Amino acid sequence: METQVDVKLLTHTPDPIRVMYVAFRTCYSKFTPQQIWADIESGKISDEKMKTFIFDKIKSGHSSPRTQVYFTFAVSGLSRAASHQLVRHNTGITFDQQSQRYYAFKDQDFPYVVPETWERAGLREEYLAFMQRVGELYDQALQAGVPAEDARFLLPNAASTNLTFTVNFEEFLHIADLRLCWRAQWEIRHMWAKARNALKAEFPDLAKPIQPKCGDQRMGYCDEPMAEYLKCPLGMRRVRLHKDEILAAAKEGRTLESTPLNESDMALVATAPA
Ligand SMILES: Cc1cc2nc3c(=O)[nH]c(=O)nc-3n(C[C@H](O)[C@H](O)[C@H](O)COP(=O)(O)OP(=O)(O)OC[C@H]3O[C@@H](n4cnc5c(N)ncnc54)[C@H](O)[C@@H]3O)c2cc1C
């Protein structure tokens, strides 16, 4: 059974903007966090003021207030190839993933992902036939008494998995730096773009700085090899600058203009195929 990744925001810190504001403000104010919270609740501190304050701090190294708020996501239909990359992130994020030991797939029909590149190569039917054969042998093994933990040795990287994860805002930004980059593997890139979209639906302002590392809210330029930059949709269209040209301009005393990364540019890179 073929699957596609689906991502849903299940829950989150009830008011992440307030919590981050209080956390930041506590560090720079004579007022206690209790007083600051009371000022927020009374309307003395507006939403706009809180957002401006928080987003001014995004580029600073003062990251701990961003670790005080969490978001819990559900992910289904993601390949084990992609989930293995995702679970390598381990600071500020925690996962629970469907077990292949305690859950055995039924009816010779395990779920799996079909990359578009196999279709483009004209090998889709061969791919599906191989998955069907794996499913049959997996089922035969289970029927013959092989435990699920050993039957799973047959399952390919393509096998789909389900997981829930809880991530704090700082780690959400960090993972986006790496995984929304055009050079990241397409499936984890698409998955993280879906997580961003889910966040954006509830908190449009919080989604703005969730960009690849070259975004204007992040590092601001591309530090990948020049040859790769020139292949990226943002590099080839000169939407982002490359570090080599910034260094060259600095040596020559020239200045360069950098533009914000808008939502259509974001979509172009986040959902680009493999
Ligand atoms: C393009 C790309 C290619 C990759 N290729 C491979 C590969 O070929 N083989 C492979 O095995 N892995 C590969 N990885 C995985 C990579 O090595 C990391 O395991 C993964 O990116 C998670 O690391 P992180 O620092 O982002 O972790 P996170 O947990 O997301 O880290 C969050 C932050 O905390 C810091 N941090 C994390 N852990 C520590 C620590 N113990 N001590 C101090 N600071 C810490 C990090 O610097 C980071 O800023 C690849 C990743 C990417 C993005």
Side-chain angles (χ1 to χ4, degrees):
M1 179 198 11
E2 191 175 337
T3 67
Q4 304 225 331
V5 65
D6 183 62
V7 182
K8 183 177 165 63
L9 177 59
L10 297 180
T11 189
H12 48 78
T13 298
D15 200 332
I17 291 175
R18 283 184 181 194
V19 171
M20 280 194 278
Y21 180 81
V22 171
F24 272 124
R25 206 77 189 98
T26 300
C27 303
Y28 305 123
S29 166
K30 70 173 180 180
F31 298 111
T32 66
Q34 294 89 324
Q35 289 167 322
I36 299 166
W37 190 260
D39 283 349
I40 294 171
E41 297 219 302
S42 71
K44 196 169 155 196
I45 299 170
S46 69
D47 275 6
E48 269 332 293
K49 185 172 174 187
M50 286 191 281
K51 284 179 200 166
T52 306
F53 193 84
I54 291 167
F55 294 121
D56 272 357
K57 296 272 173 286
I58 287 278
K59 281 188 178 171
S60 86
H62 188 178
S63 57
S64 45
R66 294 189 289 273
T67 68
Q68 298 227 26
V69 296
Y70 68 86
F71 302 88
T72 299
F73 288 90
V75 181
S76 56
L78 186 73
S79 77
R80 282 261 172 172
S83 77
H84 187 71
Q85 297 173 71
L86 185 61
V87 301
R88 293 294 300 280
H89 294 284
N90 57 22
T91 306
I93 188 165
T94 183
F95 302 93
D96 284 285
Q97 179 165 18
Q98 183 185 44
S99 168
Q100 290 180 343
R101 287 187 73 202
Y102 300 116
Y103 177 74
F105 299 114
K106 306 285 184 305
D107 305 325
Q108 307 182 356
D109 192 20
F110 72 94
Y112 56 85
V113 173
V114 184
E116 257 178 46
T117 45
W118 281 77
E119 305 202 34
R120 275 188 251 143
L123 290 169
R124 179 179 162 83
E125 291 314 312
E126 286 83 346
Y127 188 99
L128 298 184
F130 180 78
M131 295 301 162
Q132 188 177 341
R133 179 64 193 124
V134 170
E136 287 164 3
L137 185 55
Y138 174 84
D139 200 58
Q140 190 183 345
L142 291 175
Q143 304 298 332
V146 176
E149 69 175 18
D150 289 342
R152 70 174 167 167
F153 276 62
L154 279 178
L155 297 174
N157 272 331
S160 308
T161 189
N162 303 324
L163 42 91
T164 60
F165 68 88
T166 296
V167 62
N168 70 45
F169 190 56
E170 177 67 6
E171 181 67 355
F172 202 134
L173 290 161
H174 168 73
I175 296 178
D177 283 345
L178 302 179
R179 308 298 185 174
L180 289 182
C181 170
W182 177 78
R183 290 203 71 206
Q185 186 254 347
W186 66 269
E187 197 188 4
I188 194 167
R189 177 160 43 85
H190 293 188
M191 188 250 128
W192 209 253
K194 285 182 182 218
R196 181 186 190 273
N197 282 346
L199 181 76
K200 189 176 160 195
E202 279 201 51
F203 301 105
D205 292 309
L206 288 186
K208 282 182 196 158
I210 310 275
Q211 299 180 328
K213 60 188 171 180
C214 67
D216 55 295
Q217 306 282 310
R218 304 300 293 161
M219 191 167 68
Y221 59 88
C222 176
D223 65 348
E224 295 292 331
M226 180 57 97
E228 297 299 321
Y229 164 77
L230 293 172
K231 286 189 237 160
C232 166
L234 301 182
M236 69 172 80
R237 289 167 52 249
R238 316 288 300 135
V239 173
R240 309 308 305 148
L241 295 171
H242 190 272
K243 101 175 156 194
D244 291 353
E245 58 190 338
I246 297 172
L247 290 174
K251 272 188 196 152
E252 293 161 15
R254 285 186 290 121
T255 53
L256 292 167
E257 287 288 314
S258 182
T259 50
L261 191 52
N262 66 37
E263 285 297 305
S264 60
D265 294 327
M266 274 290 311
L268 194 65
V269 71
T271 57

